[in-house]
Amino acid sequence: KNGQTYPSQAQYLCILDNLKKWIKMNAKIEVKQTPEINMAYLSSIGSKNLGPTFQRLLKWATPKGLFNQQSKMATVYHDSFKITDADKVRMSAGIILQSPIEADDTVQKMTIPAGKHIIGSFEIGVAEFEKSWTGLFLWMNENGYEKADRDPFEIYHNDFNKHPELKCVVDFYIPVR
């Protein structure tokens, strides 16, 4: 809750209704079993540090041939922005590996375990990430799913800077029981 003020009950219900409509119009949602995902990553603390952390990761990955047109980047969230101050949220900025690598002094390896996930597929602007996550969690609750004790993550399918409308093509994953 982090010191946030809340609207009246009527405003709150209106916000929820609008969010449900927005999600219905802007997301393709499915629930499915996903395979494990291996990635090389760097840790990042604070939302302002995520971009520079990805730049350091790409600087490491490109000469090793790990970053190309087919590469997918990912962010794993170890904290929630709803609870933790934005400058203290712990994240992992990663590149999904197509084949095994050895960790080194710069980058670590992580395996996101196989499991059941709610997957929300979006084409959104950078400013719409919070709304997308909030809406997806609302969808989860409305449809009777319970979050599993694993971290949610995003997988990016494009470089939004190269999109004609600066949109991110991204899948949001919520692990569920």
Side-chain angles (χ1 to χ4, degrees), residues 6 11 14 19 27 33 37 49-50 52 74-75 77 82 89 92 96 100 104 124 131 142 146 152 156 160-161:
Y6 287 92
Q11 288 173 316
C14 184
L19 192 53
Q33 190 73 20
I37 299 170
N49 294 321
L50 189 59
T75 301
Y77 293 93
K82 299 287 184 200
V89 170
S92 295
I96 296 175
D104 61 26
I124 53 174
K131 180 189 274 189
E142 293 269 318
E146 185 179 339
Y156 312 107
F160 76 94
N161 290 308

Side-chain angles (χ1 to χ4, degrees), residues 30-121:
E30 59 185 335
V31 180
K32 67 180 191 178
Q33 190 73 20
T34 58
E36 75 178 17
I37 299 170
N38 294 302
M39 62 183 227
Y41 77 96
L42 291 171
S43 295
S44 178
I45 297 177
S47 56
K48 292 181 181 177
N49 294 321
L50 189 59
T53 302
F54 271 115
Q55 291 304 317
R56 285 194 345 262
L57 181 64
L58 290 174
K59 188 176 179 181
W60 171 87
T62 303
K64 296 181 179 326
L66 299 173
F67 182 70
N68 55 48
Q69 292 291 83
Q70 289 74 42
S71 298
K72 304 269 190 251
M73 306 301 284
T75 301
V76 177
Y77 293 93
H78 307 291
D79 295 311
S80 168
F81 284 95
K82 299 287 184 200
I83 299 167
T84 307
D85 287 331
D87 63 341
K88 294 185 175 133
V89 170
R90 295 171 302 133
M91 297 165 279
S92 295
I95 184 167
I96 296 175
L97 299 171
Q98 302 306 313
S99 55
I101 63 157
E102 293 297 318
D104 61 26
D105 293 341
T106 306
V107 173
Q108 296 177 300
K109 291 190 316 183
M110 170 192 305
T111 299
I112 298 171
K116 188 176 183 181
H117 289 89
I118 294 171
I119 305 168
S121 300

